[in-house]
Amino acid sequence: MAEAERIIGTPDSPEGAGAEPEQSSGGEGQGSTGERPRGKRRIAVLFAVAAFAYALDLISKMIVVAKLEHHEPIEIIGDWLKFEAIRNAGAAFGFGEAFTVIFTMIAAAVIVVIARLARKLYSLPWAIALGLLLGGALGNLTDRIFRSPGVFEGAVVDFIAPKHFAVFNLADSAIVCGGILIVLLSFRGLDPDGTVHKD
């Protein structure tokens, strides 16, 4: 009997006490391992969407500067939609041209805030929304830094010209779409960390 207890291990024995923590620690390891890829996938989506939006904006502006600037506008849908190259020193859609440096700082601040939110990002819709904002902000910030008349005072290249509306670019479109999506997610009570709350 004593030999059997020694082999099996009683609850108070070192053998019995050591077996249970091994099982629980293994369960905790699996849980923590399961959480990490979930967070990484959302961050990857954010940066993938941002990179896609930024690349589209950058390529479109390069084509517009090379092929459309100093040329006649191109009619896409009659007078209702044209491609017309315009340099915009203001904010999105041409507002506030006297505050170029301030808008540059705001765009940089938005990028920093999104980078901080990314650490707690577990929601796929939020990842897409923040990715659109990040890509759009980077697109226009690139113009502010590298285009004339100077660093942080550069004019943004706009070219999408609907009738009776301001001329804008793909970065502006990404920012607006990301902002609308964030408003919708907020109304639904979905937070960036994936939790849902009801007011």
Side-chain angles (χ1 to χ4, degrees):
M1 185 67 178
E3 182 67 14
E5 289 179 354
R6 187 182 67 80
I7 294 173
I8 297 173
T10 62
D12 295 331
S13 66
E15 293 87 346
E20 192 169 350
E22 289 178 3
Q23 294 176 357
S24 63
S25 64
E28 290 174 3
Q30 291 175 359
S32 61
T33 303
E35 286 296 319
R36 284 194 214 99
R38 182 175 177 240
K40 288 182 179 179
R41 280 197 299 271
R42 302 303 183 263
I43 294 174
V45 169
L46 186 156
F47 288 113
V49 172
F52 182 73
Y54 177 71
L56 281 182
D57 180 67
L58 186 63
I59 293 170
S60 66
K61 288 174 179 175
M62 291 173 62
I63 295 173
V64 166
V65 171
K67 303 294 185 180
L68 189 58
E69 200 166 36
H70 308 303
H71 290 78
E72 290 295 321
I74 298 175
E75 292 186 354
I76 305 301
I77 307 177
D79 292 335
W80 292 99
L81 179 62
K82 299 179 180 180
F83 285 167
E84 181 179 4
I86 292 177
R87 297 292 182 115
N88 171 26
F93 305 111
F95 298 115
E97 294 189 2
F99 304 100
T100 305
V101 176
I102 294 176
F103 293 129
T104 303
M105 295 173 63
I106 292 174
V110 168
I111 293 170
V112 172
V113 170
I114 293 173
R116 291 177 63 88
L117 282 175
R119 295 182 298 177
K120 301 179 180 180
L121 187 61
Y122 286 86
S123 167
L124 180 60
W126 270 95
I128 295 172
L130 292 176
L132 289 170
L133 281 180
L134 180 59
L138 284 172
N140 283 339
L141 184 60
T142 300
D143 283 358
R144 303 289 188 198
I145 295 175
F146 295 106
R147 297 194 187 278
S148 60
V151 178
F152 299 119
E153 297 181 351
V156 174
V157 176
D158 290 335
F159 63 94
I160 304 173
K163 188 175 182 180
H164 305 309
F165 197 72
V167 183
F168 59 98
N169 56 42
L170 294 183
D172 297 331
S173 301
I175 291 171
V176 171
C177 291
I180 292 173
L181 183 54
I182 287 175
V183 171
L184 294 176
L185 293 173
S186 299
F187 273 121
R188 292 187 59 186
L190 180 62
D191 293 330
D193 62 0
T195 59
V196 179
H197 67 273
K198 294 183 178 180
D199 296 332

